Amino acid sequence: GSFTLARVWDGYIEFGSASPIRIDSIDSCSSTCVSSDRLILATASRNGIIAVLSCTNSKVDSNNNNKLPLQNVNTLICPSFNIKTMAVTTQHAMLCAVSHKHIFLFDYTTGFLIKQIVIGSNIDKKEDSVKFNNNNEEEDTGELFESPYENIISVIFDDISNFIVTISPYYITLYGLDLRFIARSDYSKDSSIPQFTCISISDFPFWSKMPLYITGHKDGSVYAWMFD
């Protein structure tokens, strides 16, 4: 297999080292994700709109300023303006979006919001250090601030075991496809595991019969995790 780095910003998308290609404008893009089979691209804007696009048409239109005509699959209306990270799966036709306070699960074919939950519990954070707006979401001022909710950094779909997996600086958490809580890693201030920074998944049978969750950490180390 191979991996291709895709970067998206307003009006452009770049695959690997190739020159940027024009796409339809994205209003204040806050998060993007690509399905594991690279068939679906999703982009979220800071006004709560999530565009779900098909990547099956990869032919660049040279007659239209080198523009890539991505097909719009659906437009999702998210209750939050502050989408930080997302994941999408074509196997289950689902999109998971995370704000500072909630996890949202959508059926991206119909645009239906299947479920939303409040993230985690208070982890040694001060409740009065958070500002709230009219939608009960933390204000996105672009500045660092403390939150009484678990600070989820990344979310992925495990299409082998049918889990949704999130990481925050101190936790890796597993949910069912209905956002039902499954399991969470242990954490203590004396833990030798450094803070999480990123996560990926490997289902290669050479390594394990079960999927491995590969996590990167603040000190540069890499850990492999298995759920049992």
Side-chain angles (χ1 to χ4, degrees), residues 34-81:
V34 180
S35 61
S36 59
D37 54 14
R38 292 182 284 184
L39 295 179
I40 293 292
L41 165 70
T43 65
S45 68
R46 296 191 185 277
N47 60 8
I49 305 298
I50 301 175
V52 182
L53 307 166
S54 172
C55 299
T56 55
N57 183 6
S58 59
K59 185 177 180 180
V60 175
D61 187 357
S62 59
N63 296 323
N64 190 14
N65 296 322
N66 200 34
K67 191 172 183 179
L68 184 64
L70 298 177
Q71 179 183 358
N72 184 56
V73 176
N74 212 336
T75 300
L76 312 179
I77 309 299
C78 187
S80 172
F81 296 140

mmCIF file of all heavy atoms in Angstrom, residues 34-81:
data_model
loop_
_atom_site.group_PDB
_atom_site.id
_atom_site.type_symbol
_atom_site.label_atom_id
_atom_site.label_comp_id
_atom_site.label_asym_id
_atom_site.label_seq_id
_atom_site.Cartn_x
_atom_site.Cartn_y
_atom_site.Cartn_z
ATOM 1 N N VAL A 34 -9.950 12.503 5.204
ATOM 2 C CA VAL A 34 -10.102 11.661 4.017
ATOM 3 C C VAL A 34 -10.370 10.243 4.490
ATOM 4 O O VAL A 34 -9.756 9.772 5.447
ATOM 5 C CB VAL A 34 -8.837 11.701 3.135
ATOM 6 C CG1 VAL A 34 -9.006 10.819 1.904
ATOM 7 C CG2 VAL A 34 -8.500 13.123 2.720
ATOM 8 N N SER A 35 -11.290 9.549 3.842
ATOM 9 C CA SER A 35 -11.577 8.163 4.213
ATOM 10 C C SER A 35 -10.360 7.289 3.926
ATOM 11 O O SER A 35 -9.511 7.639 3.101
ATOM 12 C CB SER A 35 -12.797 7.652 3.441
ATOM 13 O OG SER A 35 -12.557 7.682 2.045
ATOM 14 N N SER A 36 -10.267 6.148 4.596
ATOM 15 C CA SER A 36 -9.093 5.281 4.462
ATOM 16 C C SER A 36 -8.911 4.759 3.042
ATOM 17 O O SER A 36 -7.785 4.463 2.631
ATOM 18 C CB SER A 36 -9.198 4.108 5.443
ATOM 19 O OG SER A 36 -10.374 3.350 5.196
ATOM 20 N N ASP A 37 -10.002 4.650 2.288
ATOM 21 C CA ASP A 37 -9.897 4.210 0.891
ATOM 22 C C ASP A 37 -9.740 5.382 -0.072
ATOM 23 O O ASP A 37 -9.736 5.203 -1.283
ATOM 24 C CB ASP A 37 -11.120 3.377 0.492
ATOM 25 C CG ASP A 37 -12.434 4.090 0.767
ATOM 26 O OD1 ASP A 37 -12.408 5.311 1.019
ATOM 27 O OD2 ASP A 37 -13.483 3.423 0.745
ATOM 28 N N ARG A 38 -9.647 6.597 0.493
ATOM 29 C CA ARG A 38 -9.405 7.841 -0.257
ATOM 30 C C ARG A 38 -10.507 8.136 -1.287
ATOM 31 O O ARG A 38 -10.257 8.732 -2.325
ATOM 32 C CB ARG A 38 -8.030 7.808 -0.926
ATOM 33 C CG ARG A 38 -6.890 7.857 0.045
ATOM 34 C CD ARG A 38 -5.560 7.875 -0.630
ATOM 35 N NE ARG A 38 -5.180 6.565 -1.132
ATOM 36 C CZ ARG A 38 -4.016 6.281 -1.696
ATOM 37 N NH1 ARG A 38 -3.129 7.240 -1.857
ATOM 38 N NH2 ARG A 38 -3.746 5.081 -2.115
ATOM 39 N N LEU A 39 -11.719 7.738 -0.963
ATOM 40 C CA LEU A 39 -12.844 7.993 -1.857
ATOM 41 C C LEU A 39 -13.661 9.213 -1.433
ATOM 42 O O LEU A 39 -14.378 9.794 -2.258
ATOM 43 C CB LEU A 39 -13.767 6.764 -1.930
ATOM 44 C CG LEU A 39 -13.173 5.500 -2.543
ATOM 45 C CD1 LEU A 39 -14.196 4.367 -2.517
ATOM 46 C CD2 LEU A 39 -12.696 5.759 -3.965
ATOM 47 N N ILE A 40 -13.576 9.559 -0.149
ATOM 48 C CA ILE A 40 -14.377 10.670 0.380
ATOM 49 C C ILE A 40 -13.464 11.677 1.075
ATOM 50 O O ILE A 40 -12.604 11.314 1.883
ATOM 51 C CB ILE A 40 -15.448 10.166 1.369
ATOM 52 C CG1 ILE A 40 -16.493 9.327 0.645
ATOM 53 C CG2 ILE A 40 -16.116 11.332 2.088
ATOM 54 C CD1 ILE A 40 -17.371 10.116 -0.319
ATOM 55 N N LEU A 41 -13.681 12.940 0.762
ATOM 56 C CA LEU A 41 -13.004 14.048 1.421
ATOM 57 C C LEU A 41 -14.061 14.900 2.113
ATOM 58 O O LEU A 41 -15.098 15.208 1.521
ATOM 59 C CB LEU A 41 -12.243 14.899 0.404
ATOM 60 C CG LEU A 41 -11.774 16.288 0.856
ATOM 61 C CD1 LEU A 41 -10.642 16.170 1.881
ATOM 62 C CD2 LEU A 41 -11.323 17.127 -0.335
ATOM 63 N N ALA A 42 -13.815 15.258 3.362
ATOM 64 C CA ALA A 42 -14.742 16.121 4.097
ATOM 65 C C ALA A 42 -13.995 17.337 4.621
ATOM 66 O O ALA A 42 -12.854 17.229 5.078
ATOM 67 C CB ALA A 42 -15.391 15.375 5.253
ATOM 68 N N THR A 43 -14.625 18.493 4.532
ATOM 69 C CA THR A 43 -14.038 19.730 5.032
ATOM 70 C C THR A 43 -15.057 20.439 5.912
ATOM 71 O O THR A 43 -16.239 20.481 5.584
ATOM 72 C CB THR A 43 -13.635 20.667 3.882
ATOM 73 O OG1 THR A 43 -14.807 21.083 3.172
ATOM 74 C CG2 THR A 43 -12.682 19.974 2.918
ATOM 75 N N ALA A 44 -14.598 20.963 7.025
ATOM 76 C CA ALA A 44 -15.479 21.696 7.942
ATOM 77 C C ALA A 44 -15.067 23.155 7.977
ATOM 78 O O ALA A 44 -13.872 23.484 7.977
ATOM 79 C CB ALA A 44 -15.397 21.103 9.347
ATOM 80 N N SER A 45 -16.057 24.034 8.001
ATOM 81 C CA SER A 45 -15.778 25.460 8.116
ATOM 82 C C SER A 45 -16.144 25.926 9.518
ATOM 83 O O SER A 45 -16.854 25.233 10.254
ATOM 84 C CB SER A 45 -16.579 26.250 7.076
ATOM 85 O OG SER A 45 -17.965 26.188 7.371
ATOM 86 N N ARG A 46 -15.690 27.108 9.872
ATOM 87 C CA ARG A 46 -15.924 27.625 11.215
ATOM 88 C C ARG A 46 -17.347 28.132 11.418
ATOM 89 O O ARG A 46 -17.689 28.595 12.492
ATOM 90 C CB ARG A 46 -14.908 28.725 11.537
ATOM 91 C CG ARG A 46 -13.486 28.221 11.581
ATOM 92 C CD ARG A 46 -12.527 29.244 12.144
ATOM 93 N NE ARG A 46 -11.156 28.778 12.053
ATOM 94 C CZ ARG A 46 -10.580 27.965 12.930
ATOM 95 N NH1 ARG A 46 -11.275 27.533 13.966
ATOM 96 N NH2 ARG A 46 -9.346 27.584 12.779
ATOM 97 N N ASN A 47 -18.168 28.047 10.373
ATOM 98 C CA ASN A 47 -19.582 28.416 10.548
ATOM 99 C C ASN A 47 -20.471 27.195 10.728
ATOM 100 O O ASN A 47 -21.690 27.296 10.657
ATOM 101 C CB ASN A 47 -20.067 29.267 9.367
ATOM 102 C CG ASN A 47 -19.958 28.545 8.034
ATOM 103 O OD1 ASN A 47 -19.657 27.353 8.014
ATOM 104 N ND2 ASN A 47 -20.181 29.246 6.944
ATOM 105 N N GLY A 48 -19.860 25.995 10.945
ATOM 106 C CA GLY A 48 -20.621 24.793 11.239
ATOM 107 C C GLY A 48 -21.074 24.011 10.027
ATOM 108 O O GLY A 48 -21.865 23.077 10.162
ATOM 109 N N ILE A 49 -20.572 24.342 8.843
ATOM 110 C CA ILE A 49 -20.942 23.630 7.623
ATOM 111 C C ILE A 49 -19.864 22.614 7.285
ATOM 112 O O ILE A 49 -18.672 22.948 7.230
ATOM 113 C CB ILE A 49 -21.127 24.600 6.435
ATOM 114 C CG1 ILE A 49 -22.144 25.685 6.784
ATOM 115 C CG2 ILE A 49 -21.539 23.840 5.182
ATOM 116 C CD1 ILE A 49 -23.518 25.161 7.077
ATOM 117 N N ILE A 50 -20.264 21.361 7.069
ATOM 118 C CA ILE A 50 -19.331 20.303 6.679
ATOM 119 C C ILE A 50 -19.682 19.857 5.261
ATOM 120 O O ILE A 50 -20.797 19.402 5.001
ATOM 121 C CB ILE A 50 -19.402 19.092 7.632
ATOM 122 C CG1 ILE A 50 -19.073 19.532 9.065
ATOM 123 C CG2 ILE A 50 -18.451 17.994 7.179
ATOM 124 C CD1 ILE A 50 -19.250 18.423 10.093
ATOM 125 N N ALA A 51 -18.742 20.012 4.345
ATOM 126 C CA ALA A 51 -18.933 19.586 2.960
ATOM 127 C C ALA A 51 -18.334 18.205 2.777
ATOM 128 O O ALA A 51 -17.169 17.984 3.119
ATOM 129 C CB ALA A 51 -18.283 20.583 2.004
ATOM 130 N N VAL A 52 -19.129 17.267 2.265
ATOM 131 C CA VAL A 52 -18.670 15.908 1.992
ATOM 132 C C VAL A 52 -18.533 15.769 0.483
ATOM 133 O O VAL A 52 -19.500 15.947 -0.257
ATOM 134 C CB VAL A 52 -19.646 14.864 2.551
ATOM 135 C CG1 VAL A 52 -19.115 13.451 2.304
ATOM 136 C CG2 VAL A 52 -19.870 15.089 4.043
ATOM 137 N N LEU A 53 -17.321 15.456 0.022
ATOM 138 C CA LEU A 53 -17.013 15.452 -1.400
ATOM 139 C C LEU A 53 -16.506 14.092 -1.849
ATOM 140 O O LEU A 53 -15.832 13.389 -1.099
ATOM 141 C CB LEU A 53 -15.951 16.517 -1.709
ATOM 142 C CG LEU A 53 -16.257 17.927 -1.222
ATOM 143 C CD1 LEU A 53 -15.008 18.796 -1.282
ATOM 144 C CD2 LEU A 53 -17.375 18.542 -2.035
ATOM 145 N N SER A 54 -16.835 13.715 -3.068
ATOM 146 C CA SER A 54 -16.357 12.468 -3.658
ATOM 147 C C SER A 54 -15.047 12.716 -4.382
ATOM 148 O O SER A 54 -14.927 13.672 -5.165
ATOM 149 C CB SER A 54 -17.392 11.904 -4.625
ATOM 150 O OG SER A 54 -16.848 10.804 -5.340
ATOM 151 N N CYS A 55 -14.055 11.851 -4.148
ATOM 152 C CA CYS A 55 -12.749 11.967 -4.796
ATOM 153 C C CYS A 55 -12.602 10.992 -5.963
ATOM 154 O O CYS A 55 -11.506 10.780 -6.471
ATOM 155 C CB CYS A 55 -11.635 11.710 -3.790
ATOM 156 S SG CYS A 55 -11.595 12.848 -2.411
ATOM 157 N N THR A 56 -13.697 10.363 -6.380
ATOM 158 C CA THR A 56 -13.602 9.348 -7.438
ATOM 159 C C THR A 56 -13.273 9.971 -8.788
ATOM 160 O O THR A 56 -12.684 9.332 -9.646
ATOM 161 C CB THR A 56 -14.916 8.557 -7.562
ATOM 162 O OG1 THR A 56 -16.007 9.477 -7.761
ATOM 163 C CG2 THR A 56 -15.167 7.762 -6.299
ATOM 164 N N ASN A 57 -13.650 11.228 -8.996
ATOM 165 C CA ASN A 57 -13.307 11.922 -10.232
ATOM 166 C C ASN A 57 -11.992 12.654 -10.016
ATOM 167 O O ASN A 57 -11.950 13.764 -9.500
ATOM 168 C CB ASN A 57 -14.397 12.924 -10.624
ATOM 169 C CG ASN A 57 -14.085 13.604 -11.949
ATOM 170 O OD1 ASN A 57 -13.121 13.256 -12.629
ATOM 171 N ND2 ASN A 57 -14.902 14.571 -12.313
ATOM 172 N N SER A 58 -10.881 12.017 -10.403
ATOM 173 C CA SER A 58 -9.562 12.582 -10.138
ATOM 174 C C SER A 58 -8.955 13.255 -11.370
ATOM 175 O O SER A 58 -7.776 13.582 -11.381
ATOM 176 C CB SER A 58 -8.619 11.470 -9.653
ATOM 177 O OG SER A 58 -8.528 10.444 -10.631
ATOM 178 N N LYS A 59 -9.757 13.442 -12.406
ATOM 179 C CA LYS A 59 -9.256 14.063 -13.635
ATOM 180 C C LYS A 59 -9.294 15.580 -13.505
ATOM 181 O O LYS A 59 -10.343 16.180 -13.309
ATOM 182 C CB LYS A 59 -10.101 13.625 -14.836
ATOM 183 C CG LYS A 59 -9.563 14.147 -16.167
ATOM 184 C CD LYS A 59 -10.402 13.633 -17.323
ATOM 185 C CE LYS A 59 -9.868 14.164 -18.658
ATOM 186 N NZ LYS A 59 -10.682 13.664 -19.794
ATOM 187 N N VAL A 60 -8.133 16.188 -13.627
ATOM 188 C CA VAL A 60 -8.027 17.635 -13.517
ATOM 189 C C VAL A 60 -8.508 18.287 -14.812
ATOM 190 O O VAL A 60 -8.165 17.852 -15.910
ATOM 191 C CB VAL A 60 -6.577 18.060 -13.219
ATOM 192 C CG1 VAL A 60 -6.442 19.578 -13.213
ATOM 193 C CG2 VAL A 60 -6.117 17.471 -11.899
ATOM 194 N N ASP A 61 -9.330 19.302 -14.660
ATOM 195 C CA ASP A 61 -9.861 20.027 -15.815
ATOM 196 C C ASP A 61 -8.869 21.124 -16.206
ATOM 197 O O ASP A 61 -8.848 22.200 -15.633
ATOM 198 C CB ASP A 61 -11.222 20.641 -15.463
ATOM 199 C CG ASP A 61 -11.898 21.272 -16.674
ATOM 200 O OD1 ASP A 61 -11.285 21.274 -17.762
ATOM 201 O OD2 ASP A 61 -13.031 21.762 -16.519
ATOM 202 N N SER A 62 -8.044 20.828 -17.207
ATOM 203 C CA SER A 62 -7.015 21.782 -17.638
ATOM 204 C C SER A 62 -7.616 22.998 -18.320
ATOM 205 O O SER A 62 -6.967 24.035 -18.447
ATOM 206 C CB SER A 62 -6.023 21.099 -18.580
ATOM 207 O OG SER A 62 -6.698 20.572 -19.721
ATOM 208 N N ASN A 63 -8.861 22.878 -18.772
ATOM 209 C CA ASN A 63 -9.519 24.008 -19.433
ATOM 210 C C ASN A 63 -10.181 24.959 -18.444
ATOM 211 O O ASN A 63 -10.758 25.961 -18.840
ATOM 212 C CB ASN A 63 -10.577 23.498 -20.425
ATOM 213 C CG ASN A 63 -9.953 22.688 -21.551
ATOM 214 O OD1 ASN A 63 -8.864 23.014 -22.024
ATOM 215 N ND2 ASN A 63 -10.629 21.624 -21.960
ATOM 216 N N ASN A 64 -10.127 24.589 -17.158
ATOM 217 C CA ASN A 64 -10.764 25.423 -16.131
ATOM 218 C C ASN A 64 -9.770 25.764 -15.029
ATOM 219 O O ASN A 64 -9.969 25.470 -13.851
ATOM 220 C CB ASN A 64 -11.988 24.702 -15.546
ATOM 221 C CG ASN A 64 -12.831 25.599 -14.661
ATOM 222 O OD1 ASN A 64 -12.691 26.817 -14.664
ATOM 223 N ND2 ASN A 64 -13.707 24.981 -13.884
ATOM 224 N N ASN A 65 -8.642 26.350 -15.448
ATOM 225 C CA ASN A 65 -7.617 26.801 -14.500
ATOM 226 C C ASN A 65 -7.109 25.669 -13.611
ATOM 227 O O ASN A 65 -6.922 25.839 -12.411
ATOM 228 C CB ASN A 65 -8.139 27.954 -13.642
ATOM 229 C CG ASN A 65 -8.446 29.180 -14.456
ATOM 230 O OD1 ASN A 65 -7.727 29.494 -15.404
ATOM 231 N ND2 ASN A 65 -9.520 29.876 -14.101
ATOM 232 N N ASN A 66 -6.921 24.492 -14.204
ATOM 233 C CA ASN A 66 -6.364 23.346 -13.475
ATOM 234 C C ASN A 66 -7.210 22.988 -12.259
ATOM 235 O O ASN A 66 -6.710 22.697 -11.180
ATOM 236 C CB ASN A 66 -4.932 23.643 -13.043
ATOM 237 C CG ASN A 66 -4.149 22.382 -12.721
ATOM 238 O OD1 ASN A 66 -4.352 21.343 -13.351
ATOM 239 N ND2 ASN A 66 -3.263 22.462 -11.752
ATOM 240 N N LYS A 67 -8.514 23.010 -12.398
ATOM 241 C CA LYS A 67 -9.432 22.781 -11.293
ATOM 242 C C LYS A 67 -9.849 21.318 -11.207
ATOM 243 O O LYS A 67 -10.077 20.663 -12.220
ATOM 244 C CB LYS A 67 -10.678 23.665 -11.447
ATOM 245 C CG LYS A 67 -11.570 23.706 -10.222
ATOM 246 C CD LYS A 67 -12.667 24.739 -10.377
ATOM 247 C CE LYS A 67 -13.517 24.830 -9.122
ATOM 248 N NZ LYS A 67 -14.573 25.846 -9.248
ATOM 249 N N LEU A 68 -9.933 20.805 -9.986
ATOM 250 C CA LEU A 68 -10.348 19.424 -9.748
ATOM 251 C C LEU A 68 -11.840 19.412 -9.451
ATOM 252 O O LEU A 68 -12.267 19.897 -8.394
ATOM 253 C CB LEU A 68 -9.577 18.821 -8.567
ATOM 254 C CG LEU A 68 -9.824 17.344 -8.252
ATOM 255 C CD1 LEU A 68 -9.363 16.463 -9.407
ATOM 256 C CD2 LEU A 68 -9.099 16.940 -6.978
ATOM 257 N N PRO A 69 -12.666 18.858 -10.341
ATOM 258 C CA PRO A 69 -14.121 18.911 -10.145
ATOM 259 C C PRO A 69 -14.620 17.843 -9.172
ATOM 260 O O PRO A 69 -15.148 16.801 -9.569
ATOM 261 C CB PRO A 69 -14.655 18.668 -11.559
ATOM 262 C CG PRO A 69 -13.607 17.821 -12.206
ATOM 263 C CD PRO A 69 -12.288 18.241 -11.618
ATOM 264 N N LEU A 70 -14.436 18.089 -7.875
ATOM 265 C CA LEU A 70 -14.922 17.153 -6.871
ATOM 266 C C LEU A 70 -16.450 17.200 -6.826
ATOM 267 O O LEU A 70 -17.054 18.261 -6.860
ATOM 268 C CB LEU A 70 -14.361 17.499 -5.489
ATOM 269 C CG LEU A 70 -12.841 17.438 -5.343
ATOM 270 C CD1 LEU A 70 -12.444 17.874 -3.946
ATOM 271 C CD2 LEU A 70 -12.323 16.037 -5.620
ATOM 272 N N GLN A 71 -17.058 16.031 -6.718
ATOM 273 C CA GLN A 71 -18.520 15.957 -6.695
ATOM 274 C C GLN A 71 -19.025 16.095 -5.260
ATOM 275 O O GLN A 71 -18.554 15.409 -4.356
ATOM 276 C CB GLN A 71 -18.991 14.631 -7.284
ATOM 277 C CG GLN A 71 -20.496 14.455 -7.287
ATOM 278 C CD GLN A 71 -20.919 13.107 -7.822
ATOM 279 O OE1 GLN A 71 -20.088 12.303 -8.228
ATOM 280 N NE2 GLN A 71 -22.217 12.844 -7.817
ATOM 281 N N ASN A 72 -19.973 16.980 -5.064
ATOM 282 C CA ASN A 72 -20.544 17.167 -3.735
ATOM 283 C C ASN A 72 -21.489 16.015 -3.394
ATOM 284 O O ASN A 72 -22.459 15.757 -4.109
ATOM 285 C CB ASN A 72 -21.305 18.491 -3.657
ATOM 286 C CG ASN A 72 -21.823 18.762 -2.257
ATOM 287 O OD1 ASN A 72 -21.045 18.784 -1.309
ATOM 288 N ND2 ASN A 72 -23.109 18.963 -2.128
ATOM 289 N N VAL A 73 -21.194 15.306 -2.307
ATOM 290 C CA VAL A 73 -22.039 14.190 -1.866
ATOM 291 C C VAL A 73 -23.161 14.707 -0.976
ATOM 292 O O VAL A 73 -24.321 14.336 -1.138
ATOM 293 C CB VAL A 73 -21.196 13.143 -1.109
ATOM 294 C CG1 VAL A 73 -22.093 12.030 -0.553
ATOM 295 C CG2 VAL A 73 -20.131 12.563 -2.028
ATOM 296 N N ASN A 74 -22.799 15.576 -0.041
ATOM 297 C CA ASN A 74 -23.802 16.141 0.855
ATOM 298 C C ASN A 74 -23.201 17.311 1.615
ATOM 299 O O ASN A 74 -21.980 17.462 1.680
ATOM 300 C CB ASN A 74 -24.324 15.096 1.848
ATOM 301 C CG ASN A 74 -25.768 15.325 2.238
ATOM 302 O OD1 ASN A 74 -26.275 16.442 2.160
ATOM 303 N ND2 ASN A 74 -26.440 14.276 2.668
ATOM 304 N N THR A 75 -24.048 18.122 2.197
ATOM 305 C CA THR A 75 -23.632 19.210 3.070
ATOM 306 C C THR A 75 -24.287 19.007 4.425
ATOM 307 O O THR A 75 -25.513 18.924 4.524
ATOM 308 C CB THR A 75 -24.037 20.575 2.493
ATOM 309 O OG1 THR A 75 -23.417 20.750 1.206
ATOM 310 C CG2 THR A 75 -23.586 21.699 3.418
ATOM 311 N N LEU A 76 -23.457 18.896 5.464
ATOM 312 C CA LEU A 76 -23.949 18.621 6.807
ATOM 313 C C LEU A 76 -23.977 19.908 7.618
ATOM 314 O O LEU A 76 -23.055 20.724 7.546
ATOM 315 C CB LEU A 76 -23.058 17.594 7.506
ATOM 316 C CG LEU A 76 -22.697 16.335 6.700
ATOM 317 C CD1 LEU A 76 -21.798 15.428 7.519
ATOM 318 C CD2 LEU A 76 -23.947 15.598 6.251
ATOM 319 N N ILE A 77 -25.031 20.084 8.395
ATOM 320 C CA ILE A 77 -25.152 21.234 9.286
ATOM 321 C C ILE A 77 -24.844 20.769 10.699
ATOM 322 O O ILE A 77 -25.595 19.988 11.293
ATOM 323 C CB ILE A 77 -26.568 21.850 9.238
ATOM 324 C CG1 ILE A 77 -26.979 22.112 7.791
ATOM 325 C CG2 ILE A 77 -26.614 23.117 10.072
ATOM 326 C CD1 ILE A 77 -26.083 23.084 7.058
ATOM 327 N N CYS A 78 -23.723 21.236 11.224
ATOM 328 C CA CYS A 78 -23.293 20.808 12.554
ATOM 329 C C CYS A 78 -23.764 21.802 13.611
ATOM 330 O O CYS A 78 -23.723 23.010 13.388
ATOM 331 C CB CYS A 78 -21.771 20.689 12.584
ATOM 332 S SG CYS A 78 -21.135 19.983 14.119
ATOM 333 N N PRO A 79 -24.223 21.319 14.768
ATOM 334 C CA PRO A 79 -24.665 22.225 15.835
ATOM 335 C C PRO A 79 -23.544 23.065 16.434
ATOM 336 O O PRO A 79 -23.817 23.977 17.205
ATOM 337 C CB PRO A 79 -25.229 21.263 16.895
ATOM 338 C CG PRO A 79 -25.548 20.008 16.163
ATOM 339 C CD PRO A 79 -24.506 19.910 15.091
ATOM 340 N N SER A 80 -22.282 22.750 16.103
ATOM 341 C CA SER A 80 -21.148 23.488 16.664
ATOM 342 C C SER A 80 -20.437 24.292 15.587
ATOM 343 O O SER A 80 -20.367 23.886 14.433
ATOM 344 C CB SER A 80 -20.155 22.523 17.309
ATOM 345 O OG SER A 80 -18.977 23.201 17.684
ATOM 346 N N PHE A 81 -19.888 25.435 15.980
ATOM 347 C CA PHE A 81 -19.075 26.244 15.087
ATOM 348 C C PHE A 81 -17.591 25.901 15.203
ATOM 349 O O PHE A 81 -16.772 26.476 14.509
ATOM 350 C CB PHE A 81 -19.257 27.734 15.396
ATOM 351 C CG PHE A 81 -20.641 28.236 15.154
ATOM 352 C CD1 PHE A 81 -21.229 29.135 16.034
ATOM 353 C CD2 PHE A 81 -21.374 27.813 14.061
ATOM 354 C CE1 PHE A 81 -22.509 29.611 15.805
ATOM 355 C CE2 PHE A 81 -22.650 28.283 13.829
ATOM 356 C CZ PHE A 81 -23.223 29.183 14.700
#
